[in-house]
Amino acid sequence: MAKIKGTIVVDIDKCKGCGVCVPTCPTKTIALGREVNGKGYNYMQAVNPDTCTGCTNCATVCPDTVITVYRVKVEG
Amino acid sequence: MIKPENAVYSRTKVLTDNIMHYCPGCSHGTVHKLIAEVIDEMGIQDKTIGVSPVGCGVFAYNYLDIDWLEAAHGRAPALATAAKRLNPDRYVFTYQGDGDLASIGTAEIMHACNRGENIVVIFINNAIYGMTGGQMAPTTLVGQVTATTPYGRNVELNGYPLKITELIAQLPGTCYVTRQTVYNPLTVRKAKRAIRKAFENSMLKKGTSFVEVVGTCSSGWKLTPVEANQWMVDNMFPEYPLGDMKDI
């Protein structure tokens, strides 16, 4: 059966770390990191990158549109 | 995996690369994104004129790469009327907050909707004046603490929350009046469908389309963005129920 695998890329300089995306993630992939960006905000990171399914929930609710979502089918 | 052909969600080109000045978690950013995506999907980037308000949304022209007008406080529907009448082949929309539309601009919005101008009105209702520091707005809930109602909004002193969307739905000039919100993926997708429908209506000469978006102001409400979303679900939705009020 083909498995679906996703990944997210956060635009670090634009992210304000509001955390609105965290409750929408069904697999707890995304969370607030400890590092800060150039504006002094902690930014969102894929802390569990292996669990991402590419559902686009986090990117859909992101007020600053900083998340790009990629999704591929993995055979096997 | 990170290749353009695998991208399932990416930033639309209608949004500029500027970093938004809004506070973290502000609903304005989400609504800007939805308008940009609708404009991109309909392919009307060179045929759209926006009218920005006074309020936090005043800098909307920095974030959407379309033609813009900047109105005096509350007067966006008057400018949109002129823009649409002079350019009937353009999609014209106003983007207004509750202090702009429901307070100082009440006359303009009522008469523009009553005339049935073929424009789209996007109304962001966060029950507070966000830009000026969290003062009471006409839409502030009874008992809500703001900078000017430190003991909560008192009905005897300050009156009742103004349900302007319900008033506008009574006017025969409007064709589509709806109340949406943008706090989770489901509601964001619904709000996007509503905004798209409003833009399509404006070319069908059916009348004014009015989309209210109930949003958060985490700075004005003194809550974190996630807490503000929950406060909105618990307190705003009983007063401002979601759904279509008019659709013809």
Side-chain angles (χ1 to χ4, degrees):
Chain A
M1 200 183 107
K3 276 181 72 179
I4 290 177
K5 200 166 165 9
T7 190
I8 55 168
V9 176
V10 178
D11 188 338
I12 291 169
D13 290 333
K14 289 201 179 84
C15 182
K16 296 171 187 162
C18 66
V20 169
C21 48
V22 175
T24 69
C25 182
T27 58
K28 296 190 168 52
T29 301
I30 195 164
L32 196 61
R34 289 179 64 84
E35 295 87 354
V36 291
N37 63 14
K39 288 204 152 222
Y41 291 116
N42 294 87
Y43 54 88
M44 308 314 295
Q45 291 175 330
V47 289
N48 297 314
D50 298 337
T51 59
C52 182
T53 59
C55 68
T56 74
N57 274 2
C58 55
T60 304
V61 297
C62 178
D64 294 282
T65 327
V66 300
I67 304 173
T68 310
V69 185
Y70 300 89
R71 184 164 59 206
V72 286
K73 273 185 183 168
V74 185
E75 296 297 331
Chain B
M1 193 195 296
I2 300 175
K3 295 177 193 155
E5 64 265 29
N6 293 334
V8 285
Y9 195 105
S10 51
R11 194 179 168 92
T12 162
K13 288 192 178 64
V14 178
L15 283 173
T16 62
D17 284 335
N18 296 330
I19 298 175
M20 292 187 184
H21 73 286
Y22 301 120
C23 308
C26 180
S27 307
H28 274 302
T30 318
V31 181
H32 282 12
K33 170 173 76 174
L34 295 183
I35 296 170
E37 286 176 356
V38 166
I39 289 171
D40 195 13
E41 285 168 16
M42 291 174 72
I44 55 170
Q45 188 178 2
D46 54 350
K47 288 192 286 189
T48 307
I49 302 171
V51 186
S52 66
V54 171
C56 286
V58 65
F59 291 125
Y61 50 74
N62 282 338
Y63 308 130
L64 267 75
D65 192 8
I66 55 171
D67 292 329
W68 282 97
L69 293 164
E70 167 57 49
H73 202 182
R75 273 62 186 174
L79 259 70
T81 299
K84 182 67 180 179
R85 287 189 178 192
L86 293 168
N87 304 282
D89 59 331
R90 295 288 196 270
Y91 293 82
V92 181
F93 74 93
T94 73
Y95 184 94
Q96 299 177 267
D98 51 342
D100 190 77
L101 183 144
S103 180
I104 193 168
T106 316
E108 273 74 13
I109 191 64
M110 283 292 169
H111 289 290
C113 288
N114 198 35
R115 290 193 302 268
E117 302 293 343
N118 293 300
I119 57 172
V120 179
V121 179
I122 313 281
F123 167 43
I124 313 294
N125 177 6
N126 55 15
I128 208 163
Y129 278 84
M131 185 183 74
T132 49
Q135 290 84 359
M136 187 192 80
T139 45
T140 295
L141 304 177
V142 174
Q144 187 180 341
V145 174
T146 68
T148 45
T149 55
Y151 305 109
R153 183 175 184 160
N154 177 352
V155 171
E156 288 176 11
L157 195 63
N158 312 115
Y160 293 92
L162 182 59
K163 296 187 176 185
I164 193 136
T165 307
E166 274 85 348
L167 291 174
I168 281 167
Q170 313 292 321
L171 300 173
T174 54
C175 66
Y176 181 48
V177 181
T178 183
R179 183 181 284 127
Q180 303 290 331
T181 184
V182 287
Y183 74 99
N184 67 14
L186 176 72
T187 52
V188 170
R189 290 185 185 113
K190 275 186 169 173
K192 186 173 167 184
R193 281 201 291 276
I195 291 171
R196 176 159 186 145
K197 188 172 188 174
F199 272 86
E200 287 168 351
N201 279 347
S202 73
M203 273 300 154
L204 300 174
K205 295 195 167 52
K206 289 163 77 177
T208 311
S209 299
F210 189 98
V211 181
E212 171 179 348
V213 182
V214 181
T216 61
C217 180
S218 49
S219 299
W221 297 352
K222 313 268 189 282
L223 298 168
T224 68
V226 177
E227 286 168 359
N229 279 342
Q230 191 57 45
W231 191 90
M232 176 173 71
V233 172
D234 295 340
N235 297 284
M236 294 278 279
F237 295 167
E239 186 70 27
Y240 300 110
L242 305 177
D244 291 356
M245 270 157 256
K246 190 176 190 181
D247 185 8
I248 49 175

